Amino acid sequence: MNTTLAALQDWVDEVAKQTNPDRIHWCDGSDTEYQALIQLMLDNGDLLELNQETHPGCYLHRSDPNDVARVEKLTFVCTEDENVAGPNNNWMPPAEGHAKVDALFDGCMQGRTMYVIPYCMGPIDSPISRCGVEISDSPYVAANMRLMTRMGKDALARIEREGTFVKAQHSIGELDPNKRLIMHFPEELSIKSIGSGYGGNALLGKKCHALRIGSYQAAQEGWLAEHMLIVGLESPEGERHYIAAAFPSACGKTNLAMLIPPEQFPGWKIWTVGDDIAWMSVGSDGRLYAINPEAGYFGVVPGTSPKTNKNAFDMIQRDTIFTNVGVTADNQPWWEGHPEGEPVTDWKGNPYDGSTPAAHPNSRFTVSATQNPCYSEEAESAAGVPISAIVFGGRRRELAPLVMEARNWTHGVLMGASVGSEQTAAAEGTVGEIRRDPMAMKPFCGHNFADYWSHWLSFSNKSSNLPKIFHVNWFRQDKDGNFLWPGFGENLRVLQWIIGRCEGSAAAEETAIGNLPAPGAINLAGLDVADDVMRSLTSVEVEHWREEANGVKRYLESFGGRVPQAMFDELEKTQAALN
Ligand code: SAT
Ligand code: MN
């Protein structure tokens, strides 16, 4: 017996019987264990040692070239009623889902070690946290889960105390895309994923548990599981605000969460609570409180430099697992946008010839959050942090202004539901195509978006002290494809306006689509953005927005009768104002 919890022991025995591993290892989360996992992977070739003088504790993992991103078409939500999963998910009846994936799990761990990985999503002592156990035959997964979650004996102790946990079963299988499935059974609080070793498909605490299972569970229990960073801002006067912001994968969440204030903002301080996921619930004072369920970052590497994100760049100089980057002649990690050195080997391990990128566009770093120079101690707070503003955003070269504020909570929910964004390399698909990505949850909402929106709307009955809701777009371009807004640290200027709106001090103009910054309301001191550029960043192109509103209406209608009427009513207000 490795645990006092019979339900856990029985499940582990059952999976072992099904998958037939040579050995079973229960992870305790210790340093010694982590080092042993690293050594094992160095010995078997899963990891390559990087230059230990320049990058102590850093290693490189090369994925199978067909396994470098999430695969949405192989990701399923299996619920008894198809309408519970909704048109936003691939669906299968649970019995069929189990049968299909179980056939692949049969005997798949022969010759391998099965790792039993107890994890806690969120601070160990937080009532908002939830636990799970991942079973995996990948030491890479075990090591990454150690960096990304509170993993090991403390999590196991909480699981034994509570008696409940999400069952997260994973195997790399044969890494064959034809034998790859990522299955979610929200009604059973379980996940079965096989055939991929890549991040979101394999580190099951992250997107599978914290978002897909989490969003389903949150709707039942009255909280929110969101694809949001959490960042704390302190003004020179000592006022502290926390902002939760949702952007699709690879749209700069990590950079915003670790933002470095521009030099014109002396005395401003920024802290990261989380860079990808927020779990939020209403506190006794009616405010929304957020925890980061994760304990590490699985961030996009290319473009990370002292210029774009010095905190991130510094953070990944030691004790980091790199996945799919290039290497230099003296064995340092290298990627597009790296300030120095040159690659000799690309992410596949081939000699670099400059014809294709050295680092895969979705190459990643895995690193403990505690290495972040601006890590917030509040990230360990059991109560979470009070959220002043919720920000939604997408990557849109046209239309969406730099920033706008929702009229009220319901309008904010509509704003979130209407998010559109250009596809990035974080998932398989055509990069650059615009698709609707409500609340940046399109790939991650574990149930019907219509029910998810109803749940969001219901919060206005729970409290009158909710955060204000905003929409931002850092990615507007001119007709030659140049970005109109400098982004990165300069985004603080926009966040300052947002905070000003929360405090009632920043000026806005009411428009048909929401409240936009009044001329001069955003601090542009020392910034080289021409007046006419700023005007186009903060104005409403009525004709274009009419089309957009029609598009949003068609999109909402595609979810059928389950969509709350309040969403259509709110949209009609916008449409009336546009006419
Ligand atoms: O692969 S992950 O889902 O973990 C990263 C991402 O796409 O956001
Ligand atoms: Mn993400």
Side-chain angles (χ1 to χ4, degrees), residues 283-316:
S284 54
D285 57 359
R287 299 190 70 182
L288 208 49
Y289 283 79
I291 62 160
N292 170 15
E294 301 188 280
Y297 310 128
F298 185 66
V300 176
V301 183
T304 306
S305 78
K307 268 202 198 117
T308 58
N309 187 344
K310 182 167 189 308
N311 285 331
F313 188 80
D314 291 350
M315 163 177 89
I316 58 178

Side-chain angles (χ1 to χ4, degrees), residues 205-361:
K206 193 174 179 59
K207 303 299 165 88
C208 299
H209 178 166
L211 289 178
R212 296 198 191 93
I213 300 292
S215 58
Y216 174 85
Q217 204 176 21
Q220 301 216 311
E221 298 176 359
W223 47 283
L224 290 167
E226 298 301 326
H227 192 205
M228 291 179 178
L229 66 93
I230 309 163
V231 65
L233 300 103
E234 188 178 313
S235 71
E237 294 76 40
E239 291 282 346
R240 264 200 195 201
H241 286 278
Y242 294 92
I243 292 178
F247 300 90
S249 299
C251 286
K253 280 202 300 297
T254 305
N255 288 338
L256 190 65
M258 302 176 69
L259 172 154
I260 294 181
E263 57 181 81
Q264 294 84 7
F265 280 61
W268 280 78
K269 293 192 192 112
I270 307 292
W271 286 281
T272 318
V273 180
D275 81 326
D276 196 39
I277 300 177
W279 282 359
M280 304 189 281
S281 66
V282 177
S284 54
D285 57 359
R287 299 190 70 182
L288 208 49
Y289 283 79
I291 62 160
N292 170 15
E294 301 188 280
Y297 310 128
F298 185 66
V300 176
V301 183
T304 306
S305 78
K307 268 202 198 117
T308 58
N309 187 344
K310 182 167 189 308
N311 285 331
F313 188 80
D314 291 350
M315 163 177 89
I316 58 178
Q317 300 302 310
R318 65 175 177 95
D319 299 313
T320 300
I321 298 177
F322 290 92
T323 300
N324 298 334
V325 297
V327 284
T328 63
D330 65 345
N331 220 16
Q332 299 191 44
W334 195 92
W335 51 87
E336 279 61 30
H338 197 287
E340 60 200 31
E342 52 189 66
V344 293
T345 308
D346 73 8
W347 63 276
K348 291 182 186 165
N350 297 326
Y352 175 74
D353 64 7
S355 63
T356 53
H360 187 276

